[in-house]
């Protein structure tokens, strides 16, 4: 009987030690989980802050200002636009303007108006 009691006592002590060990591991894991959740909240807050900063940095007015000041860029106009053909030749966007003749003070002659019937036949 003493052997059985001693064996049962050893089993109770081993079970108690195992229980203490598992509780210790559980507490360690809980503290690690809490620390990781705090890091996740900190990173989420930093991400939100950086998103706001990114939106503030990418406003069209700021981008245009930086392009003009730092990159020496200018807005496009038909006068400076050029189109390139597949063969590499350049086509100006705006045809060169022919110089206008000097005016003499007389009104320009109007072209003769066509009768409506003549204009309809010419359109066919």
């Amino acid at each position: 009987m003493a052997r059985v009691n001693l064996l049962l006592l050893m089993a109770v002590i081993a079970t108690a030690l195992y229980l203490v060990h598992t509780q210790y591991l559980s507490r360690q894991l809980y503290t690690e989980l809490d620390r990781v959740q705090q890091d996740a909240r900190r990173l989420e807050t930093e991400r939100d802050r950086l998103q706001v900063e990114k939106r503030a940095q990418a406003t069209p007015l700021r981008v245009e200002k930086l392009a003009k000041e730092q990159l020496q860029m200018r807005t496009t106009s038909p006068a400076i636009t050029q189109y390139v053909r597949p063969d590499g030749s350049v086509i100006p966007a705006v045809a060169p303007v022919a110089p206008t003749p000097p005016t003499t003070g007389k009104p320009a002659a109007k072209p003769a108006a066509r009768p409506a019937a003549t204009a309809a036949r010419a359109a066919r």
Side-chain angles (χ1 to χ4, degrees):
M1 188 78 175
R3 278 187 164 177
V4 174
N5 285 339
L6 186 60
L7 188 61
L8 288 175
L9 178 64
M10 296 280 285
V12 168
I13 290 174
T15 305
L17 288 175
Y18 182 73
L19 178 65
V20 168
H21 179 69
T22 54
Q23 285 181 343
Y24 174 73
L25 288 178
S26 173
R27 287 187 182 120
Q28 277 187 330
L29 289 174
Y30 182 76
T31 56
E32 186 177 344
L33 175 67
D34 189 45
R35 184 181 51 81
V36 169
Q37 285 176 342
Q38 286 177 352
D39 286 345
R41 282 191 296 272
R42 181 184 55 80
L43 289 173
E44 185 69 29
T45 304
E46 185 176 351
R47 181 182 152 274
D48 291 343
R49 182 187 61 79
L50 289 173
Q51 288 285 348
V52 168
E53 187 176 323
K54 177 182 167 185
R55 282 192 296 265
Q57 294 289 325
T59 59
L61 183 62
R62 183 175 184 281
V63 170
E64 184 176 346
K65 179 182 172 190
L66 289 175
K68 284 181 180 178
E69 292 176 0
Q70 293 181 359
L71 302 176
Q72 306 299 320
M73 295 176 88
R74 58 187 178 187
T75 56
T76 60
S77 68
I80 61 173
T81 303
Q82 294 180 344
Y83 297 99
V84 180
R85 290 186 178 135
D87 64 356
S89 61
V90 177
I91 307 167
V94 176
V97 178
T100 58
T103 59
T104 59
K106 294 181 183 178
K110 291 184 181 179
R114 286 186 181 177
T118 310
R121 276 188 242 132
R124 289 186 209 168

